[in-house]
Amino acid sequence: MPDTPEPTGAPDPDRAAVRSVVFHDDYELSILLEADGRLRAVLHAVGVDGIELFTRGSATVVSNARHGDGGAQRADEWAERLDLLQTTMQPVHYRTTPPGAESGQPATVECIATPIPNADGTLDSILLQAYDRTTAERAQAAARGYQEQLRVALSVTAMASFALQLDVPRITGDDRLPEILGTDVAAAVLADGVEGLLSMAVAEDVEQVRRAFAVATAGGPDLDVEYRLPGNPKTEGDVRWIGIRGRVEFDEATGEPVRMLGVVEDLTDRRAEEEARLRWQKRDAIGSLAGGVAHDFNNVITAILSNASLAQQELRIGASPETSLAEIARGAERASGIVQRLLAFSREDDAGTAPESTPFDLGGVVAEACGLVASSLPSGTEIRRSIAPDLPPVLGSAGELHRVIVNLLSNAGDAVERGGIVEISVDVTAAPTPAIAGWPAGAGAVRVRVQDDGPGIPASQLSRIFDPFFTTKPSGKGTGLGLAAAQTIVRNHGGTIDAANAPGGGARFTVCLPAHVVKPSADETAANAVAEAAEADRPRIVFVDDERPLARLAERALPAYGFAVEIHTDPRDALAAIQADPSAVDALVTDLSMPRMSGLELVEQVHRVRPDLPVVLSSGFLTAANRQDAERLGVGAILPKPCSIDALALELSVLVGAAKPRSA
């Protein structure tokens, strides 16, 4: 901006006026200058106090009386710009520091000096426009600082950031993302979004991860899921554990999910530490129970030896030893039960990995745990148990959950005084709210509650009760590993565990696990469907999928279940076939994502000519909006890909059986 050197001699009234002008951050100024740089008029001023002090003909226009070399330098720069304007008659763009800026302050003022010519082409005047960008540049500098801090933080914590676009499923991330997921991750995998991630996962974890993403993108809790990738360069032949946490951003106008932002973390080392912690907790618990088990065994052995001695005497005197032998047999059975309970507790499960998927009776596990712990509790301590009848099974590892129950009972026993009461109950309740990622749709919960009548947990310690190595027990009486290990096991089973102080006093721990819904065997149900279909006309199914191998598979497999199948790889051909004879079709099976026409568009067109036609929609990925549209269009069943032919035949049997018989 124009400036003049500090004058010598008499005071300069123009300079005095300039000293009284105050320029604030983000000021805007437009002024018209004479050809020699003197002020002709102030056109626009925002954020400038005292601009009225400038008068026509002022020698200096935008300055706060910089002194010495700084002022002289700015005057020289302005003289060069003025000469350039007069010579080239072209606008001059430049940046300068705000008036009155300290030495070294960044140049945040953007200026444009535009020459205005006379009729003869000489310079008549100059339009000078100045815009201060101080606040904007501070914000940009702060943003750059925050980004660098985030980059360093993610690097230190071995995390990578990612963004998942939901409209065109694609994942982008920082440089660490391929390193965590695997250096061989191709761009095509990330371009497939969630399905690309699932293609890398261990098969048993795929559905859990898919459900977790679906819940988060449908407006549920934030994504927080852990899963396995095959192969671990640190331990050849093993797996790597990956954790993903993310939050969905929604369009403010439509409310639709737009993208997910989050972090990816390699949890392999942490999982290994948890596994070691579980082993340590197991050894510690076994040690604490050894005395009680020895007590039970001594009682059993005493009874066996005594009855054996009595049987010998009875034989010598000719009496029947039947009663004594029966007592020996009962004692042996009791000893066997103790051994089995101890083996169930000490079995080496794969701690820190996904639990075995075996349905079992949690009520029976609780009963065994009560029997194992009872003898190790302080004398006079009573365990009161209440196990609801007809409990649904739980899917997972009975051995791992046995350890959880034993740990909770042992902790409760330690918390009560001699003669205290420990209560444990097992019942069925609704699924936790808010929804837990990965919780099976429609499944209730099997709940275990352990409560004691001790002093309870100090409020200041409740939030830390599950932290590793944190314990409320006196020094030397607790490792702080038990509850942390219990939490790991419960979470691996897809459940929840929490602690609270009971209203009547004492601590209460609650474990909720997904109830395993036992469905009829797909093989049995499908076989029954075949038998029934053989007695009637074979239902005609139109199967549409742009993947020809899938269409041909349906064409070969579904007739074995009693269906006549017509396949199409182009949804437009399928629509034409149905429109030609709507009553000749009993059900439609269609893929969702197909070129030229989507599955939902096909359903909408088909229902215009046959509104009651049953439909099965199949897809590897459905958004919440897709599900809403499917429900609106009357889709009878949705099958996720991959799905078995048995499952498809079962759905068709149900839908075709429920539909009205077609006319001959």
Side-chain angles (χ1 to χ4, degrees):
M1 289 197 183
D3 206 344
T4 57
E6 186 71 20
T8 58
D12 183 352
D14 289 338
R15 179 67 64 181
V18 169
R19 288 195 180 98
S20 301
V21 179
V22 178
F23 293 84
H24 299 283
D25 288 348
D26 306 321
Y27 74 84
E28 299 177 6
L29 185 64
S30 297
I31 53 178
L32 191 64
L33 304 178
E34 301 289 356
D36 61 359
R38 290 182 174 273
L39 179 67
R40 178 181 293 184
V42 176
L43 305 178
H44 172 73
V46 175
V48 183
D49 296 339
I51 192 66
E52 68 278 358
L53 296 174
F54 282 120
T55 58
R56 180 181 178 86
S58 298
T60 307
V61 286
V62 182
S63 173
N64 242 2
R66 292 174 58 102
H67 296 281
D69 294 339
Q73 179 179 349
R74 285 170 58 119
D76 291 342
E77 292 172 352
W78 174 247
E80 292 176 2
R81 296 186 189 107
L82 188 60
D83 182 64
L84 185 63
L85 285 166
Q86 294 170 338
T87 304
T88 66
M89 294 297 292
Q90 295 294 322
V92 176
H93 298 252
Y94 62 96
R95 289 175 69 93
T96 185
T97 56
E102 300 294 332
S103 176
Q105 184 170 329
T108 59
V109 182
E110 295 181 2
C111 301
I112 305 174
T114 305
I116 301 175
N118 289 307
D120 59 2
T122 59
L123 183 64
D124 172 75
S125 55
I126 302 167
L127 174 63
L128 181 62
Q129 298 167 288
Y131 305 93
D132 183 27
R133 298 288 185 256
T134 297
T135 299
E137 300 219 352
R138 284 175 184 164
Q140 292 173 2
R144 288 192 295 270
Y146 294 147
Q147 291 174 354
E148 177 62 17
Q149 292 175 17
L150 176 60
R151 186 192 67 78
V152 172
L154 291 175
S155 176
V156 170
T157 56
M159 292 182 179
S161 61
F162 77 91
L164 168 63
Q165 298 299 131
L166 299 177
D167 52 348
V168 282
R170 182 178 67 253
I171 293 177
T172 57
D174 60 24
D175 295 339
R176 289 187 56 82
L177 189 60
E179 179 183 341
I180 291 177
L181 295 179
T183 54
D184 58 342
V185 174
V189 172
L190 298 180
D192 286 341
V194 175
E195 292 302 316
L197 287 179
L198 294 177
S199 69
M200 303 165 55
V202 171
E204 294 83 354
D205 295 349
V206 168
E207 193 56 35
Q208 171 198 357
V209 179
R210 180 180 282 119
R211 284 199 304 267
F213 271 97
V215 169
T217 54
D222 291 343
L223 177 70
D224 188 355
V225 66
E226 299 176 3
Y227 67 100
R228 294 168 292 170
L229 298 181
N232 183 355
K234 299 178 183 178
T235 57
E236 187 174 351
D238 205 348
V239 298
R240 289 186 297 126
W241 276 95
I242 301 298
I244 302 181
R245 294 190 293 277
R247 176 168 295 176
V248 176
E249 293 184 344
F250 293 86
D251 185 279
E252 293 183 358
T254 65
E256 290 295 316
V258 178
R259 65 174 180 168
M260 175 184 288
L261 302 178
V263 294
V264 178
E265 182 179 7
D266 189 332
L267 302 176
T268 307
D269 291 340
R270 182 185 301 175
R271 283 280 184 161
E273 293 172 0
E274 290 177 352
E275 181 177 351
R277 185 169 70 235
L278 286 169
R279 287 196 298 267
W280 181 278
Q281 183 253 341
K282 184 188 301 182
R283 288 194 296 267
D284 180 67
I286 289 176
S288 66
L289 293 171
V293 172
H295 177 268
D296 277 358
F297 257 108
N298 283 334
N299 289 339
V300 171
I301 292 171
T302 299
I304 290 175
L305 291 175
S306 299
N307 279 285
S309 176
L310 180 58
Q312 289 175 337
Q313 293 179 19
E314 289 168 338
L315 286 171
R316 282 197 298 267
I317 65 175
S320 172
E322 183 177 351
T323 301
S324 298
L325 292 176
E327 289 296 332
I328 291 173
R330 278 193 288 270
E333 291 175 357
R334 185 180 173 198
S336 176
I338 294 173
V339 170
Q340 292 303 317
R341 289 197 300 268
L342 190 58
L343 288 176
F345 176 79
S346 60
R347 183 186 303 120
E348 279 292 343
D349 292 307
D350 292 329
T353 64
E356 58 184 88
S357 296
T358 304
F360 64 92
D361 176 19
L362 188 58
V365 170
V366 169
E368 286 189 0
C370 290
L372 184 63
V373 173
S375 59
S376 65
L377 296 179
S379 176
T381 301
E382 178 186 359
I383 295 181
R384 295 179 181 174
R385 73 186 190 196
S386 172
I387 301 176
D390 301 323
L391 291 170
V394 168
L395 198 63
S397 167
E400 285 192 353
L401 290 169
H402 188 275
R403 292 208 300 274
V404 171
I405 304 304
V406 167
N407 178 264
L408 295 178
L409 288 171
S410 298
N411 285 346
D414 290 341
V416 300
E417 300 292 337
R418 186 179 298 273
I421 296 174
V422 175
E423 298 181 22
I424 182 168
S425 63
V426 190
D427 59 7
V428 179
T429 186
T433 53
I436 303 298
W439 194 280
V446 180
R447 177 177 59 187
V448 179
R449 287 186 290 191
V450 178
Q451 181 173 331
D452 60 65
D453 61 356
I457 305 170
S460 60
Q461 298 178 358
L462 263 177
S463 61
R464 302 175 56 199
I465 201 68
F466 293 105
D467 289 354
F469 304 107
F470 177 79
T471 178
T472 59
K473 297 179 181 179
S475 177
K477 288 195 174 184
T479 62
L481 296 173
L483 288 176
Q487 184 182 58
T488 298
I489 292 173
V490 171
R491 285 182 174 177
N492 285 346
H493 282 74
T496 63
I497 180 171
D498 59 64
N501 285 314
R508 180 171 61 202
F509 287 82
T510 304
V511 175
C512 286
L513 296 165
H516 178 56
V517 180
V518 181
K519 297 181 180 179
S521 166
D523 292 337
E524 295 176 358
T525 309
N528 293 336
V530 171
E532 293 174 1
E535 299 176 1
D537 292 341
R538 294 163 66 87
R540 183 184 173 198
I541 309 300
V542 173
F543 186 97
V544 190
D545 198 305
D546 60 314
E547 291 289 337
R548 183 168 293 276
L550 295 180
R552 291 185 60 82
L553 174 63
E555 184 180 38
R556 298 197 320 271
L558 285 177
Y561 295 87
F563 299 106
V565 183
E566 176 183 330
I567 64 170
H568 296 278
T569 56
D570 189 328
R572 297 174 300 179
D573 294 341
L575 176 60
I578 296 174
Q579 288 174 333
D581 190 358
S583 64
V585 182
D586 291 293
L588 168 67
V589 179
T590 179
D591 185 27
L592 172 63
S593 301
M594 296 181 290
R596 294 176 288 277
M597 179 183 289
S598 73
L600 290 174
E601 291 172 334
L602 174 61
V603 173
E604 186 172 16
Q605 294 292 330
V606 166
H607 276 174
R608 289 179 179 175
V609 297
R610 177 74 187 279
D612 63 338
L613 184 66
V615 176
V616 176
L617 180 67
S618 177
S619 175
F621 180 75
L622 284 92
T623 66
N626 292 150
R627 292 185 180 276
Q628 291 174 356
D629 289 342
E631 182 178 356
R632 175 179 57 83
L633 292 173
V635 170
I638 296 177
L639 285 179
K641 287 185 177 180
C643 65
S644 68
I645 289 293
D646 285 344
L648 175 57
L650 175 60
E651 292 292 353
L652 286 172
S653 299
V654 172
L655 290 176
V656 172
K660 295 164 60 176
R662 61 185 175 91
S663 59

